[in-house]
Amino acid sequence: MATYLTKEGYDKKMEELSALEAQRPAIKQAIAEARDKGDLSENAEYDAAKEAQGMLEMKISKLKELIAGARIIDDSNLNTDEVQILNKVTIRNPKGMTMSYTIVTESEANLREFKIASNTPIAQALLGHKVGDHVQVKAPAGLMDFEIIKIEI
């Protein structure tokens, strides 16, 4: 299954992979040092280092798999006629409070940066709508109404 990423998201995944791979020598060194301490059957340092190596290799493998199947989203086709992935959308609730979110792929979502995944209820409600449209979002607290104020690239 393909994972869709922005160019920025793809670059971040590549940086993350490089950082993880850079940890390999330190873990190999820790294993060698623990091995030099003698009896491996009762060596907690050795067991911890081997476990850390296993976890690191698992992370690297999963990241390589994600990158191998990644498709980079072509942002040259973006427009602001209606809400689509990679758009920054400003919405207003009935109380007049405004919020802006950028709709991104699931693997790039980060609420601190106001990036919401395209599969979230709010993004699903916004996708395909235009400025001035009112959308309803199903939330745990019930239905919430929002008006789309602005769509940007």
Short mmCIF file of all heavy atoms in Angstrom, two decimals, residues 91-133:
data_model
loop_
_atom_site.label_atom_id
_atom_site.label_comp_id
_atom_site.label_asym_id
_atom_site.label_seq_id
_atom_site.Cartn_x
_atom_site.Cartn_y
_atom_site.Cartn_z
N ILE A 91 -11.30 28.16 9.39
CA ILE A 91 -12.72 27.92 9.66
C ILE A 91 -13.14 28.74 10.87
O ILE A 91 -12.32 29.15 11.69
CB ILE A 91 -13.00 26.42 9.92
CG1 ILE A 91 -12.10 25.87 11.04
CG2 ILE A 91 -12.83 25.61 8.64
CD1 ILE A 91 -12.37 24.43 11.42
N ARG A 92 -14.47 28.97 10.96
CA ARG A 92 -15.02 29.74 12.08
C ARG A 92 -16.18 28.94 12.67
O ARG A 92 -17.04 28.43 11.95
CB ARG A 92 -15.50 31.10 11.60
CG ARG A 92 -16.10 31.95 12.71
CD ARG A 92 -16.42 33.38 12.33
NE ARG A 92 -17.05 33.47 11.01
CZ ARG A 92 -16.79 34.44 10.14
NH1 ARG A 92 -15.93 35.39 10.41
NH2 ARG A 92 -17.41 34.48 8.98
N ASN A 93 -16.21 28.87 14.00
CA ASN A 93 -17.32 28.20 14.67
C ASN A 93 -18.44 29.20 14.93
O ASN A 93 -18.25 30.40 14.73
CB ASN A 93 -16.86 27.48 15.95
CG ASN A 93 -16.45 28.42 17.07
OD1 ASN A 93 -16.71 29.62 17.04
ND2 ASN A 93 -15.79 27.87 18.07
N PRO A 94 -19.62 28.76 15.35
CA PRO A 94 -20.75 29.68 15.56
C PRO A 94 -20.47 30.79 16.59
O PRO A 94 -21.11 31.84 16.55
CB PRO A 94 -21.87 28.76 16.04
CG PRO A 94 -21.53 27.43 15.49
CD PRO A 94 -20.03 27.37 15.51
N LYS A 95 -19.51 30.59 17.47
CA LYS A 95 -19.19 31.61 18.47
C LYS A 95 -18.23 32.65 17.92
O LYS A 95 -17.84 33.58 18.63
CB LYS A 95 -18.57 30.95 19.71
CG LYS A 95 -19.55 30.04 20.44
CD LYS A 95 -18.89 29.40 21.63
CE LYS A 95 -19.88 28.45 22.31
NZ LYS A 95 -19.28 27.74 23.43
N GLY A 96 -17.82 32.50 16.66
CA GLY A 96 -16.94 33.48 16.02
C GLY A 96 -15.45 33.18 16.16
O GLY A 96 -14.62 33.94 15.68
N MET A 97 -15.11 32.08 16.80
CA MET A 97 -13.69 31.73 16.96
C MET A 97 -13.17 31.12 15.66
O MET A 97 -13.83 30.27 15.07
CB MET A 97 -13.55 30.73 18.11
CG MET A 97 -12.13 30.42 18.50
SD MET A 97 -12.11 29.39 19.98
CE MET A 97 -11.12 28.06 19.36
N THR A 98 -12.00 31.59 15.21
CA THR A 98 -11.42 31.04 13.99
C THR A 98 -10.21 30.16 14.30
O THR A 98 -9.50 30.38 15.28
CB THR A 98 -10.99 32.15 13.00
OG1 THR A 98 -9.99 32.94 13.62
CG2 THR A 98 -12.16 33.01 12.58
N MET A 99 -10.01 29.17 13.44
CA MET A 99 -8.88 28.24 13.55
C MET A 99 -8.39 27.96 12.14
O MET A 99 -9.19 27.95 11.20
CB MET A 99 -9.32 26.93 14.19
CG MET A 99 -9.86 27.05 15.60
SD MET A 99 -11.05 25.75 15.98
CE MET A 99 -12.55 26.49 15.35
N SER A 100 -7.10 27.74 11.99
CA SER A 100 -6.54 27.40 10.69
C SER A 100 -5.78 26.08 10.80
O SER A 100 -4.99 25.89 11.74
CB SER A 100 -5.57 28.48 10.21
OG SER A 100 -6.26 29.67 9.96
N TYR A 101 -6.03 25.19 9.86
CA TYR A 101 -5.38 23.90 9.82
C TYR A 101 -4.90 23.62 8.41
O TYR A 101 -5.56 23.99 7.44
CB TYR A 101 -6.34 22.77 10.21
CG TYR A 101 -6.86 22.86 11.63
CD1 TYR A 101 -8.17 23.28 11.87
CD2 TYR A 101 -6.06 22.53 12.70
CE1 TYR A 101 -8.65 23.35 13.16
CE2 TYR A 101 -6.54 22.60 14.00
CZ TYR A 101 -7.84 23.01 14.23
OH TYR A 101 -8.31 23.10 15.50
N THR A 102 -3.78 22.93 8.31
CA THR A 102 -3.32 22.43 7.03
C THR A 102 -3.66 20.95 6.99
O THR A 102 -3.35 20.21 7.94
CB THR A 102 -1.79 22.63 6.85
OG1 THR A 102 -1.52 24.03 6.97
CG2 THR A 102 -1.33 22.13 5.50
N ILE A 103 -4.30 20.52 5.92
CA ILE A 103 -4.69 19.12 5.79
C ILE A 103 -3.53 18.37 5.12
O ILE A 103 -3.12 18.72 4.02
CB ILE A 103 -5.99 18.97 4.99
CG1 ILE A 103 -7.12 19.74 5.71
CG2 ILE A 103 -6.35 17.50 4.81
CD1 ILE A 103 -8.42 19.80 4.98
N VAL A 104 -3.01 17.37 5.83
CA VAL A 104 -1.85 16.62 5.36
C VAL A 104 -2.14 15.12 5.40
O VAL A 104 -3.21 14.70 5.82
CB VAL A 104 -0.60 16.94 6.23
CG1 VAL A 104 -0.20 18.40 6.11
CG2 VAL A 104 -0.84 16.58 7.69
N THR A 105 -1.16 14.34 4.97
CA THR A 105 -1.30 12.89 5.04
C THR A 105 -1.22 12.43 6.49
O THR A 105 -0.72 13.16 7.35
CB THR A 105 -0.20 12.20 4.22
OG1 THR A 105 1.06 12.51 4.80
CG2 THR A 105 -0.22 12.63 2.77
N GLU A 106 -1.67 11.23 6.73
CA GLU A 106 -1.71 10.70 8.09
C GLU A 106 -0.32 10.68 8.74
O GLU A 106 -0.17 11.01 9.91
CB GLU A 106 -2.30 9.29 8.06
CG GLU A 106 -2.56 8.69 9.41
CD GLU A 106 -3.23 7.34 9.33
OE1 GLU A 106 -3.68 6.94 8.24
OE2 GLU A 106 -3.29 6.68 10.37
N SER A 107 0.69 10.33 7.97
CA SER A 107 2.03 10.21 8.54
C SER A 107 2.68 11.56 8.82
O SER A 107 3.71 11.63 9.48
CB SER A 107 2.93 9.38 7.62
OG SER A 107 3.07 10.02 6.38
N GLU A 108 2.10 12.66 8.35
CA GLU A 108 2.67 13.98 8.56
C GLU A 108 1.86 14.82 9.55
O GLU A 108 2.23 15.97 9.83
CB GLU A 108 2.77 14.73 7.23
CG GLU A 108 3.71 14.07 6.26
CD GLU A 108 3.79 14.79 4.94
OE1 GLU A 108 4.43 15.85 4.90
OE2 GLU A 108 3.20 14.29 3.97
N ALA A 109 0.78 14.29 10.06
CA ALA A 109 -0.08 15.05 10.98
C ALA A 109 0.69 15.43 12.24
O ALA A 109 1.48 14.65 12.77
CB ALA A 109 -1.31 14.22 11.35
N ASN A 110 0.47 16.67 12.69
CA ASN A 110 1.11 17.17 13.90
C ASN A 110 0.26 18.33 14.41
O ASN A 110 0.31 19.43 13.86
CB ASN A 110 2.54 17.63 13.60
CG ASN A 110 3.27 18.09 14.83
OD1 ASN A 110 2.67 18.48 15.83
ND2 ASN A 110 4.59 18.06 14.76
N LEU A 111 -0.51 18.07 15.43
CA LEU A 111 -1.45 19.08 15.92
C LEU A 111 -0.75 20.33 16.44
O LEU A 111 -1.28 21.44 16.32
CB LEU A 111 -2.36 18.49 17.00
CG LEU A 111 -3.71 19.15 17.17
CD1 LEU A 111 -4.44 19.33 15.86
CD2 LEU A 111 -4.57 18.39 18.14
N ARG A 112 0.47 20.19 16.97
CA ARG A 112 1.21 21.36 17.44
C ARG A 112 1.51 22.33 16.30
O ARG A 112 1.63 23.52 16.51
CB ARG A 112 2.53 20.93 18.09
CG ARG A 112 2.35 20.35 19.46
CD ARG A 112 3.70 20.16 20.15
NE ARG A 112 3.56 19.14 21.16
CZ ARG A 112 4.17 17.97 21.15
NH1 ARG A 112 5.02 17.67 20.20
NH2 ARG A 112 3.95 17.09 22.10
N GLU A 113 1.67 21.78 15.10
CA GLU A 113 1.93 22.61 13.92
C GLU A 113 0.63 22.91 13.16
O GLU A 113 0.67 23.42 12.05
CB GLU A 113 2.92 21.90 13.00
CG GLU A 113 4.28 21.70 13.62
CD GLU A 113 5.22 20.88 12.74
OE1 GLU A 113 4.84 20.50 11.60
OE2 GLU A 113 6.35 20.63 13.18
N PHE A 114 -0.50 22.54 13.74
CA PHE A 114 -1.82 22.73 13.14
C PHE A 114 -1.94 21.99 11.81
O PHE A 114 -2.57 22.47 10.88
CB PHE A 114 -2.16 24.22 13.01
CG PHE A 114 -2.17 24.93 14.33
CD1 PHE A 114 -1.06 25.66 14.75
CD2 PHE A 114 -3.25 24.83 15.18
CE1 PHE A 114 -1.04 26.29 15.99
CE2 PHE A 114 -3.25 25.45 16.41
CZ PHE A 114 -2.15 26.19 16.82
N LYS A 115 -1.33 20.80 11.75
CA LYS A 115 -1.44 19.93 10.58
C LYS A 115 -2.29 18.74 10.98
O LYS A 115 -1.92 17.98 11.87
CB LYS A 115 -0.05 19.45 10.13
CG LYS A 115 0.84 20.56 9.61
CD LYS A 115 2.19 20.02 9.18
CE LYS A 115 3.05 21.12 8.59
NZ LYS A 115 4.36 20.60 8.18
N ILE A 116 -3.46 18.62 10.32
CA ILE A 116 -4.36 17.51 10.65
C ILE A 116 -4.39 16.50 9.51
O ILE A 116 -4.28 16.86 8.34
CB ILE A 116 -5.79 18.01 11.00
CG1 ILE A 116 -6.41 18.78 9.84
CG2 ILE A 116 -5.76 18.85 12.27
CD1 ILE A 116 -7.87 19.13 10.04
N ALA A 117 -4.54 15.25 9.88
CA ALA A 117 -4.57 14.17 8.90
C ALA A 117 -5.84 14.22 8.08
O ALA A 117 -6.91 14.56 8.58
CB ALA A 117 -4.44 12.82 9.60
N SER A 118 -5.70 13.87 6.82
CA SER A 118 -6.85 13.91 5.90
C SER A 118 -7.94 12.91 6.27
O SER A 118 -9.06 13.03 5.81
CB SER A 118 -6.38 13.64 4.47
OG SER A 118 -5.75 12.38 4.39
N ASN A 119 -7.62 11.93 7.14
CA ASN A 119 -8.63 10.95 7.53
C ASN A 119 -9.32 11.29 8.85
O ASN A 119 -10.13 10.51 9.34
CB ASN A 119 -8.00 9.56 7.60
CG ASN A 119 -6.91 9.45 8.64
OD1 ASN A 119 -6.46 10.44 9.20
ND2 ASN A 119 -6.47 8.24 8.90
N THR A 120 -9.04 12.47 9.43
CA THR A 120 -9.71 12.86 10.66
C THR A 120 -11.12 13.36 10.34
O THR A 120 -11.38 13.82 9.21
CB THR A 120 -8.93 13.99 11.39
OG1 THR A 120 -8.85 15.13 10.52
CG2 THR A 120 -7.54 13.53 11.81
N PRO A 121 -12.02 13.31 11.31
CA PRO A 121 -13.39 13.76 11.05
C PRO A 121 -13.48 15.20 10.53
O PRO A 121 -14.24 15.48 9.61
CB PRO A 121 -14.08 13.62 12.41
CG PRO A 121 -13.32 12.54 13.10
CD PRO A 121 -11.89 12.71 12.64
N ILE A 122 -12.69 16.11 11.10
CA ILE A 122 -12.78 17.51 10.66
C ILE A 122 -12.27 17.66 9.23
O ILE A 122 -12.88 18.35 8.42
CB ILE A 122 -12.05 18.46 11.64
CG1 ILE A 122 -12.42 19.91 11.32
CG2 ILE A 122 -10.55 18.27 11.63
CD1 ILE A 122 -12.10 20.89 12.41
N ALA A 123 -11.17 16.99 8.89
CA ALA A 123 -10.64 17.08 7.52
C ALA A 123 -11.62 16.45 6.54
O ALA A 123 -11.86 16.99 5.46
CB ALA A 123 -9.27 16.41 7.43
N GLN A 124 -12.18 15.31 6.91
CA GLN A 124 -13.15 14.64 6.04
C GLN A 124 -14.34 15.55 5.76
O GLN A 124 -14.85 15.58 4.64
CB GLN A 124 -13.62 13.33 6.68
CG GLN A 124 -12.58 12.23 6.67
CD GLN A 124 -12.31 11.73 5.27
OE1 GLN A 124 -13.21 11.30 4.57
NE2 GLN A 124 -11.06 11.80 4.84
N ALA A 125 -14.78 16.29 6.78
CA ALA A 125 -15.91 17.19 6.60
C ALA A 125 -15.55 18.37 5.69
O ALA A 125 -16.40 18.86 4.94
CB ALA A 125 -16.39 17.70 7.96
N LEU A 126 -14.31 18.82 5.73
CA LEU A 126 -13.89 19.99 4.96
C LEU A 126 -13.57 19.67 3.50
O LEU A 126 -13.81 20.51 2.62
CB LEU A 126 -12.65 20.63 5.61
CG LEU A 126 -12.86 21.26 6.99
CD1 LEU A 126 -11.52 21.63 7.61
CD2 LEU A 126 -13.76 22.47 6.90
N LEU A 127 -13.00 18.50 3.24
CA LEU A 127 -12.55 18.16 1.89
C LEU A 127 -13.67 18.29 0.87
O LEU A 127 -14.79 17.81 1.08
CB LEU A 127 -11.96 16.74 1.86
CG LEU A 127 -10.61 16.58 2.55
CD1 LEU A 127 -10.24 15.11 2.70
CD2 LEU A 127 -9.51 17.33 1.81
N GLY A 128 -13.37 18.97 -0.22
CA GLY A 128 -14.33 19.13 -1.31
C GLY A 128 -15.26 20.33 -1.17
O GLY A 128 -16.03 20.62 -2.08
N HIS A 129 -15.19 21.02 -0.05
CA HIS A 129 -16.05 22.19 0.16
C HIS A 129 -15.34 23.49 -0.21
O HIS A 129 -14.13 23.53 -0.34
CB HIS A 129 -16.55 22.23 1.61
CG HIS A 129 -17.56 21.16 1.90
ND1 HIS A 129 -18.89 21.29 1.60
CD2 HIS A 129 -17.41 19.92 2.42
CE1 HIS A 129 -19.52 20.19 1.94
NE2 HIS A 129 -18.64 19.33 2.44
N LYS A 130 -16.14 24.56 -0.37
CA LYS A 130 -15.61 25.85 -0.83
C LYS A 130 -15.75 26.92 0.24
O LYS A 130 -16.47 26.71 1.23
CB LYS A 130 -16.39 26.29 -2.08
CG LYS A 130 -16.27 25.31 -3.22
CD LYS A 130 -17.15 25.70 -4.39
CE LYS A 130 -17.14 24.60 -5.41
NZ LYS A 130 -16.71 24.91 -6.69
N VAL A 131 -15.10 28.05 0.01
CA VAL A 131 -15.22 29.19 0.92
C VAL A 131 -16.69 29.57 1.02
O VAL A 131 -17.40 29.63 0.02
CB VAL A 131 -14.38 30.39 0.42
CG1 VAL A 131 -14.67 31.65 1.24
CG2 VAL A 131 -12.89 30.07 0.47
N GLY A 132 -17.14 29.81 2.25
CA GLY A 132 -18.54 30.16 2.49
C GLY A 132 -19.41 28.98 2.85
O GLY A 132 -20.49 29.15 3.41
N ASP A 133 -18.96 27.76 2.52
CA ASP A 133 -19.72 26.56 2.87
C ASP A 133 -19.73 26.34 4.37
O ASP A 133 -18.76 26.66 5.06
CB ASP A 133 -19.12 25.30 2.20
CG ASP A 133 -19.40 25.22 0.71
OD1 ASP A 133 -20.11 26.10 0.19
OD2 ASP A 133 -18.91 24.27 0.08
#
